């Protein structure tokens, strides 16, 4: 990641700091002018924003239960909202209307659809893409643990976990938003995109088509093709040729399976399958794809085969790749045997009489690689950016204490700031309601009051350093693994408590950082802080209610949802991400890290990956110093190389192999040979492909899937890869239904 740091000492009278930003990237991107007369919270904002937010929240949560969930980019939403805004500006009357019973007046069309209005509308609408993890808690508790969760308790959990983050964001606003040295690289990308769209819309090209027209063309084409894998031929999501040739060989199917094996000879012709787990390959640079590919090869074709075929930790007693959990007999782990049905707590005596918990070798090492990726992110940042970031931190600290301002701070003085007590009120209210819900419904959430206080302490500790990291480098480190591990050690044997604690710590932390970055976006775009605050709060409330209600409805409407064995043939409601969340709750919550990992677990050596992740970036840094002429060494990003392997365990090898194939071809051919076309249409094409697939998936699911119609009944209706034997154990003496004797 490119990063240019400003190393000048702060001088209050320095010309650059008086008339512009002290950060070069900001000077090159953000104009130092403002038009405070541009309207923002207009009728158009309120007419389009909440409705779009509701639709996105519904669609995002609805599609998250499918075999191949769809990830949306905010860019496509920005383009769609621009079109809607322009349409309303050209058709609605500008007559002033009076609100009955008041002296308030407003216009349905206050003038041209402007860039500030567009930004605020996008912030409100795209809140619908940020449905928190409480819906997953509902699914895991109801589907996998077969326990009821009160609707209002779940909704309260959803709202308070997000609002808690917003309250903490306000505490650090002065340092992370108002400070000119906190510049947010990816927020600059958003600003550049908004300005580019609005500048392009001012003039239509004489030849060719506009970006918006190309987006519509890409969306329609994607939708038309998606009918084939989405309805007529779902097997296109994982075509495993080897399995077709050797239908009765466990070894051959293990080699060829794209879902549960090595994926040799497998591929996908479904864009949904290609982009579902690793992201859209069109937006990744070649260096990132190379890092990810090297890590994938090392993971799936070197480490895991060695561990599997040497039978490390009885690996051959279980499937090679699966996110399911197993007992010592090679069967699916019967969690109900080790969990007390009355209160969903761990039963130690029953556990000792039943079996230890075992993981497939791919899932096990996927966790290990994630351990390494966490420490590698921190180590990489310290080694490559630590000195410059420390200089910026010191400059920012002096700037905050001395009230040093840049031109953007001075321009924002025209607008009234959000009072600090608003944030404190949100923080206290959210924390109070969170404690109340946990204490009043402790039998459902399992987490005592001190869990909420502990999560608040974690947020308080990490918001500032993670915010500085994000503001100065664009890098992000999640507390996901840290929170699961901490509460697993402190409060073991309670799976729902583990998930609730993660919701209040990780979700709140994520929303705090997202809230802060959006406030910085408003700072750069010269949008009134109160207007941005209102848009964020309204968007969050709408998305929380709609997203959680969608999950509640789906769990009631779709029979056998998230239960692949009992679902009709071709049904997409397999919920791989929810199954993974359930497995995680068992590993960290029920059994606990003490019994699974260190100090008493079968997999205690997996914690070595923390040290591997810590050391590897330092070795790369040393090599870059010894061989400065080798510029490619600095492109080695260990966190990218090691991270994301759980996605391989969940989505299978086919998804990733197809992802890197498209990524390499696109970077080596399109980017290098047609760079002008790439610069104009690349991101538009990537979003058009995603939107077309999403619309088709939504249409078929609502119109056909809810009536148990999933496609034409033939061989290609199976959403799997036709490699059933790939899930069989290969150890002698292990007998599993549907598998031949090894």
């Amino acid at each position: 990641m490119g990063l240019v740091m400003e190393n000048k000492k702060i001088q209050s009278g320095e010309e650059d700091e008086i008339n512009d930003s002290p950060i070069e990237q900001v000077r090159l991107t953000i104009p130092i002018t403002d038009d405070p007369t541009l309207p923002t919270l207009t009728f158009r904002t309120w007419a389009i924003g909440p409705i779009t937010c509701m639709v996105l929240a519904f669609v995002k949560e609805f599609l998250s239960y499918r075999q191949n969930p769809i990830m949306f980019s905010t860019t496509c939403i920005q383009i769609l909202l621009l079109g809607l805004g322009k349409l309303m500006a050209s058709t609605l009357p500008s007559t002033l209307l009076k609100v009955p019973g008041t002296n308030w007046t407003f216009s349905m069309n206050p003038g041209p659809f402007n860039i500030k209005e567009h930004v605020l509308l996008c912030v409100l609408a795209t809140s619908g893409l940020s449905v928190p993890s409480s819906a997953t808690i509902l699914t895991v508790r109801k589907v996998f643990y077969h326990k009821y969760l009160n609707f209002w308790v779940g909704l309260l959990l959803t709202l308070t976990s997000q609002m808690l983050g917003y309250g903490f964001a306000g505490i650090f606003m002065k340092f992370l938003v108002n400070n000119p040295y906190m510049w947010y690289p990816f927020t600059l990308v958003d600003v550049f995109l908004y300005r580019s769209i609005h500048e392009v819309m001012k003039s239509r090209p004489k030849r060719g088509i506009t970006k918006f027209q190309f987006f519509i063309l890409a969306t329609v084409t994607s939708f038309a093709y998606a009918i084939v894998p989405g309805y007529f031929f779902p097997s296109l999501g994982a075509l495993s040729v080897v399995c077709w040739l050797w239908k009765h060989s466990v070894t051959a199917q293990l080699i060829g399976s794209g879902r549960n094996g090595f994926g040799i000879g497998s591929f996908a012709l479904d864009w949904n399958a290609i982009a579902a787990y690793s992201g859209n390959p069109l937006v990744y640079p070649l260096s990132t794809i190379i890092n990810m590919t090297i890590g994938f090869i090392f993971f799936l074709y070197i480490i895991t085969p060695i561990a599997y075929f040497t039978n490390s930790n009885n690996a051959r007693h279980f499937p090679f790749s699966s996110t399911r959990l197993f007992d010592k007999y090679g069967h699916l782990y019967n969690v109900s045997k080790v969990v007390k049905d009355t209160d969903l707590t761990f039963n130690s005596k029953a556990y000792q009489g039943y079996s230890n918990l075992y993981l497939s070798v791919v899932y096990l090492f996927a966790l290990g690689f994630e351990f390494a990726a966490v420490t590698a992110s921190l180590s990489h940042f310290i080694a490559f950016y630590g000195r410059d970031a420390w200089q910026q931190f010191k400059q920012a600290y002096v700037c905050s204490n001395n009230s040093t301002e840049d031109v953007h701070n001075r321009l924002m003085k025209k607008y009234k700031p959000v009072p600090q007590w608003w944030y404190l009120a949100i923080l206290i209210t959210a924390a109070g309601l969170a404690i109340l819900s946990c204490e009043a419904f402790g039998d459902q959430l399992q987490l005592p009051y001190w869990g909420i206080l502990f999560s608040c302490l974690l947020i308080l500790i990490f918001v500032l350093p993670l915010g500085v990291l994000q503001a100065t480098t664009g890098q992000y480190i999640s507390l996901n693994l840290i929170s699961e591990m901490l509460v697993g050690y402190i409060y073991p044997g309670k799976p729902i408590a583990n998930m609730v604690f993660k919701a209040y710590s990780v979700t709140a932390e994520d929303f705090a950082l997202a809230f802060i970055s959006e406030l910085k976006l408003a700072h750069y775009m010269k949008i009134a802080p109160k207007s941005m605050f209102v848009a964020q709060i309204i968007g969050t409330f709408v998305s929380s209610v709609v997203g959680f209600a969608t999950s509640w409805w789906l769990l009631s409407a779709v029979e056998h949802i998230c239960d692949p064995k009992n679902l009709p043939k071709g049904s997409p409601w397999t919920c791989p991400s929810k199954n993974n969340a359930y497995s995680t709750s068992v590993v960290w919550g029920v059994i606990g890290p003490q019994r699974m990992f260190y100090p008493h677990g079968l997999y205690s050596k997996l914690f070595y990956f923390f040290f591997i992740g810590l050391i590897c970036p330092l070795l790369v840094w040393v090599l870059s110093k010894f061989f400065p002429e080798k510029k490619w060494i600095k492109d080695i990003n260990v966190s990218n190389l090691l991270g994301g392997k759980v996605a391989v365990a969940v989505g299978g090898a086919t998804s990733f192999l197809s992802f890197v194939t498209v990524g390499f071809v696109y970077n080596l051919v399109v980017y290098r040979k047609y760079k002008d076309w790439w610069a104009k249409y690349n991101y538009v094409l990537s979003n058009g492909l995603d939107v077309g697939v999403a619309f088709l998936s939504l249409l078929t699911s609502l119109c056909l899937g809810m009536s148990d119609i999933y496609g034409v009944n033939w061989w290609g209706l199976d959403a799997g890869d036709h490699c059933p034997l790939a899930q069989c154990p290969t150890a002698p003496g292990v007998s599993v239904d549907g598998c031949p004797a090894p």
Side-chain angles (χ1 to χ4, degrees):
M1 184 182 297
L3 179 64
V4 179
M5 294 292 184
E6 192 72 35
N7 294 317
K8 297 179 181 179
K9 298 295 182 181
I10 294 181
Q11 301 173 6
S12 59
E14 198 170 78
E15 184 70 17
D16 281 347
E17 294 192 29
I18 292 175
N19 296 322
D20 211 329
S21 170
I23 304 298
E24 182 180 5
Q25 289 90 333
V26 177
R27 293 197 296 268
L28 295 173
T29 308
I30 310 298
I32 57 173
T33 57
D34 177 35
D35 182 0
T37 64
L38 293 177
T40 51
L41 287 178
T42 64
F43 173 81
R44 292 185 292 248
T45 305
W46 293 118
I48 303 174
I51 295 175
T52 309
C53 182
M54 291 173 63
V55 171
L56 289 176
F58 172 78
V59 172
K60 177 71 181 295
E61 194 61 28
F62 185 86
L63 297 178
S64 70
Y65 286 83
R66 294 171 58 90
Q67 170 66 38
N68 294 313
I70 297 172
M71 293 184 290
F72 288 95
S73 169
T74 57
T75 308
C76 64
I77 311 301
Q78 291 170 335
I79 295 174
L80 287 173
L81 292 177
L82 177 65
L84 289 174
K86 293 283 186 180
L87 178 64
M88 292 184 73
S90 63
T91 56
L92 290 179
S94 58
T95 308
L96 284 177
L97 301 176
K98 185 176 180 180
V99 179
T102 70
N103 293 323
W104 297 347
T105 60
F106 70 94
S107 172
M108 297 175 67
N109 191 353
F113 187 67
N114 64 81
I115 189 169
K116 291 188 181 184
E117 188 181 6
H118 188 199
V119 172
L120 208 61
L121 177 58
C122 287
V123 168
L124 198 164
T126 54
S127 297
L129 299 177
S130 304
V131 179
S133 59
S134 55
T136 302
I137 297 174
L138 167 67
T139 305
V140 170
R141 182 175 172 87
K142 187 174 182 178
V143 174
F144 298 99
Y145 291 112
H146 309 291
K147 293 293 181 181
Y148 174 76
L149 179 65
N150 183 282
F151 176 84
W152 299 107
V153 173
L155 183 58
L156 193 61
L157 170 64
T158 304
L159 289 169
T160 53
S161 61
Q162 296 178 86
M163 295 302 178
L164 200 65
Y166 289 172
F168 277 105
I171 297 176
F172 298 99
M173 259 201 60
K174 180 181 178 183
F175 190 86
L176 293 176
V177 177
N178 298 336
N179 199 302
Y181 288 93
M182 301 293 107
W183 57 284
Y184 294 86
F186 286 105
T187 301
L188 292 185
V189 175
D190 289 336
V191 174
F192 180 79
L193 177 62
Y194 281 113
R195 292 184 61 198
S196 298
I197 291 175
H198 281 264
E199 288 170 3
V200 168
M201 290 294 288
K202 292 178 182 178
S203 57
R204 179 184 178 92
K206 294 181 179 179
R207 294 183 179 180
I209 60 177
T210 65
K211 291 182 179 180
F212 186 75
Q213 290 172 328
F214 187 83
F215 171 75
I216 297 299
L217 178 63
T219 300
V220 172
T221 305
S222 175
F223 175 85
Y225 175 76
I227 296 174
V228 179
Y231 183 78
F232 292 106
F233 199 170
S235 292
L236 287 176
L239 297 170
S240 301
V241 178
V242 175
C243 297
W244 307 344
L245 301 177
W246 288 276
K247 297 181 180 180
H248 305 291
S249 170
V250 173
T251 302
Q253 293 203 12
L254 175 61
I255 293 172
S257 174
R259 297 281 192 202
N260 303 100
F262 295 101
I264 303 299
S266 68
F267 56 95
L269 295 177
D270 178 4
W271 181 256
N272 193 7
I274 294 171
Y277 297 100
S278 298
N280 193 316
L282 273 59
V283 302
Y284 285 91
L286 184 61
S287 60
T288 299
I289 292 179
I290 291 174
N291 275 296
M292 295 170 70
T293 304
I294 293 173
F296 173 79
I297 293 172
F298 189 66
F299 168 73
L300 195 65
Y301 299 136
I302 298 177
I303 294 293
T304 52
I306 291 174
Y308 184 76
F309 289 111
T310 58
N311 202 30
S312 175
N313 292 308
N314 294 323
R316 295 180 62 190
H317 285 67
F318 321 108
F320 172 72
S321 177
S322 174
T323 57
R324 309 294 290 272
L325 309 172
F326 302 93
D327 60 23
K328 61 185 177 183
Y329 309 106
H331 301 149
L332 290 176
Y333 199 86
N334 191 343
V335 178
S336 63
K337 287 186 176 182
V338 299
V339 173
K340 298 176 184 177
D341 186 64
T342 54
D343 57 359
L344 287 185
T345 57
F346 181 67
N347 189 331
S348 180
K349 185 176 180 180
Y351 178 74
Q352 293 173 2
Y354 173 40
S355 170
N356 290 328
L357 180 68
Y358 292 87
L359 308 177
S360 74
V361 68
V362 167
Y363 191 41
L364 175 66
F365 279 96
L367 290 177
F369 273 58
E370 293 299 323
F371 293 169
V374 171
T375 51
S377 297
L378 182 62
S379 181
H380 180 88
F381 167 71
I382 293 174
F384 286 91
Y385 305 121
R387 177 180 296 178
D388 290 335
W390 175 245
Q391 291 296 326
Q392 280 202 350
F393 178 83
K394 289 193 298 182
Q395 291 172 334
Y397 180 77
V398 174
C399 174
S400 296
N401 286 340
N402 295 342
S403 299
T404 304
E405 295 180 344
D406 66 350
V407 64
H408 303 293
N409 274 321
R410 291 196 298 277
L411 289 172
M412 287 301 290
K413 283 185 175 182
K414 300 174 184 176
Y415 309 98
K416 292 182 179 180
V418 177
Q420 192 69 26
W421 70 266
W422 287 16
Y423 294 109
L424 293 176
I426 289 176
L427 176 59
I428 294 171
T429 302
L433 289 175
I435 292 173
L436 177 64
S437 62
C438 286
E439 288 297 308
F441 297 90
D443 57 327
Q444 296 186 40
L445 299 183
Q446 293 189 329
L447 191 68
Y449 75 93
W450 59 260
I452 303 298
L453 299 178
F454 186 38
S455 66
C456 289
L457 179 62
L458 274 183
I459 300 168
L460 192 63
I461 291 172
F462 282 100
V463 163
L464 185 58
L466 293 183
V468 172
L469 178 66
Q470 180 176 297
T472 55
T473 70
Q475 287 190 319
Y476 167 75
I477 298 177
S478 174
L479 295 180
N480 192 56
L481 185 60
I482 296 173
S483 66
E484 288 175 334
M485 186 180 301
L486 278 175
V487 75
Y489 276 112
I490 296 171
Y491 201 52
K494 300 186 186 318
I496 306 302
N498 190 284
M499 299 183 74
V500 172
F501 179 83
K502 184 169 68 172
Y504 277 115
S505 53
V506 178
T507 301
E509 184 86 23
D510 290 346
F511 272 83
L513 296 176
F515 189 85
I516 288 171
S517 66
E518 287 177 347
L519 289 175
K520 192 68 176 185
L521 175 62
H523 190 83
Y524 284 148
M525 301 301 297
K526 310 304 176 292
I527 296 172
K530 287 185 178 181
S531 297
M532 178 60 77
F533 179 87
V534 169
Q536 290 171 308
I537 296 298
I538 296 297
T540 298
F541 180 82
V542 171
S543 69
S544 298
V545 174
V546 174
F548 188 79
T550 301
S551 289
W552 186 276
W553 168 68
L554 270 178
L555 294 176
S556 304
V558 181
E559 189 176 4
H560 302 304
I561 191 171
C562 303
D563 186 4
K565 284 191 174 181
N566 293 315
L567 283 170
K569 183 180 179 182
S571 173
W573 305 109
T574 56
C575 319
S577 61
K578 313 298 181 184
N579 274 280
N580 181 53
Y582 166 66
S583 298
T584 301
S585 75
V586 175
V587 170
W588 297 105
V590 176
I591 310 302
Q594 301 101 322
R595 296 180 183 87
M596 281 296 298
F597 303 109
Y598 183 83
H600 308 301
L602 294 170
Y603 306 122
S604 59
K605 293 181 180 179
L606 206 68
F607 274 19
Y608 289 150
F609 277 90
F610 283 116
F611 300 101
I612 293 174
L614 196 65
I615 292 171
C616 286
L618 300 179
L619 296 178
V620 174
W621 179 79
V622 170
L623 288 174
S624 69
K625 295 300 180 182
F626 273 101
F627 304 100
E629 71 280 2
K630 307 291 185 182
K631 302 298 182 183
W632 58 267
I633 294 179
K634 288 188 176 182
D635 288 332
I636 301 174
N637 190 312
V638 179
S639 58
N640 282 341
L641 194 145
L642 298 176
K645 300 303 176 287
V646 170
V648 177
V650 174
T654 295
S655 178
F656 189 86
L657 289 169
S658 303
F659 164 85
V660 297
T661 301
V662 174
F664 271 114
V665 171
Y666 205 77
N667 275 278
L668 294 176
V669 178
V670 179
Y671 177 73
R672 292 190 176 183
K673 293 187 177 181
Y674 308 99
K675 190 165 292 187
D676 290 339
W677 184 95
W678 184 95
K680 186 175 182 179
Y681 295 119
N682 174 63
Y683 296 109
V684 179
L685 173 62
S686 66
N687 287 298
L689 293 173
D690 289 343
V691 172
V693 171
F695 187 63
L696 185 279
S697 300
L698 182 65
L699 192 65
T700 54
S701 297
L702 289 176
C703 298
L704 302 174
M706 302 308 294
S707 300
D708 291 333
I709 301 173
Y710 299 108
V712 181
N713 189 15
W714 71 297
W715 175 86
L717 181 61
D718 189 355
D721 61 354
H722 301 280
C723 303
L725 301 185
Q727 301 181 55
C728 295
T730 59
V734 180
S735 177
V736 176
D737 291 342
C739 295

